[in-house]
Amino acid sequence: MAKTSTKASTKASTKASTKTAGKSAPSINIGISEKDRAAIAGGLSRLLADTYTLYLTTHNFHWNVTGPMFNTLHLMFMTQYTELWAAVDPVAERIRSLGHPAPGSYAQFSKLASIPDVPVVPPKALEMVRILVQGHEAVARTARELFPVADKASDEPTADLLTQRLTVHEQTAWMLRSLLED
């Protein structure tokens, strides 16, 4: 008798999971409208593209820096590209949490980014620093532009993420700018 009820239970369980498997995922109901989630995801996609482009530029400069400041800049750039690399995942995952796909191709990033790709010919060391200052300032502007949308939608997790990114980019730009002073 126990065998039959176990079989029946397994059969019922399989039937229930088959019904569930055929259904789509439940709609997102996190207290942010679809329109606002789409706008925030779009802004975060631009932030992701800027961050990834700046990561590539910084890593390229780490490899190609030369001159009397080599060791200092080589190590500084490594610290910076490591931080940028760690930053892309939380941004992409926030986009996914809002129910949208995160961009992840060079083609998508090139369309979304507000900063130019790394120069083909590596510039001199101080020009690298200048380019990175401009890049960090651009990423800060991209993050700041999204604040009103996140605020209007009461999207505190995105606002928190933006605050963290702004802190890093503004501080890094300041430190890099300091190297350019006489």
Side-chain angles (χ1 to χ4, degrees):
M1 193 87 168
K3 269 187 178 175
T4 308
S5 73
T6 304
K7 250 186 188 176
S9 165
T10 304
K11 199 173 189 178
S13 172
T14 304
K15 192 174 182 179
S17 25
T18 304
K19 281 184 180 179
T20 308
K23 293 184 179 181
S24 63
S27 61
I28 297 172
N29 183 10
I30 59 172
I32 302 173
S33 72
E34 170 53 35
K35 181 182 175 190
D36 287 342
R37 285 187 290 111
I40 294 165
L44 287 170
S45 293
R46 289 187 297 281
L47 180 64
L48 180 61
D50 277 354
T51 303
Y52 201 89
T53 302
L54 186 57
Y55 157 76
L56 287 173
T57 300
T58 307
H59 209 153
N60 179 291
F61 290 172
H62 165 79
W63 292 325
N64 292 300
V65 68
T66 59
M69 294 179 63
F70 169 80
N71 198 44
T72 301
L73 292 178
H74 185 74
L75 293 172
M76 178 186 273
F77 294 163
M78 183 171 68
T79 300
Q80 291 172 5
Y81 79 68
T82 301
E83 193 287 327
L84 289 162
W85 178 251
V88 294
D89 206 49
V91 175
E93 288 179 356
R94 184 64 194 149
I95 295 167
R96 295 297 298 138
S97 296
L98 294 168
H100 293 270
S105 72
Y106 291 118
Q108 288 173 304
F109 288 158
S110 71
K111 288 177 186 170
L112 292 166
S114 70
I115 58 177
D117 197 3
V118 66
V120 175
V121 176
K124 298 288 184 191
L126 289 181
E127 184 58 23
M128 288 178 174
V129 172
R130 194 176 323 283
I131 289 168
L132 292 177
V133 167
Q134 293 167 351
H136 282 281
E137 289 176 345
V139 178
R141 288 190 303 273
T142 299
R144 187 165 273 108
E145 287 171 5
L146 185 52
F147 255 110
V149 181
D151 187 46
K152 178 182 155 277
S154 299
D155 184 357
E156 289 83 5
T158 296
D160 182 52
L161 179 63
L162 295 172
T163 300
Q164 292 172 38
R165 298 313 313 148
L166 277 167
T167 300
V168 169
H169 292 293
E170 290 177 357
Q171 185 177 44
T172 303
W174 155 64
M175 290 180 176
L176 289 165
R177 263 192 315 276
S178 296
L179 292 170
L180 299 173
E181 291 182 9
D182 292 331

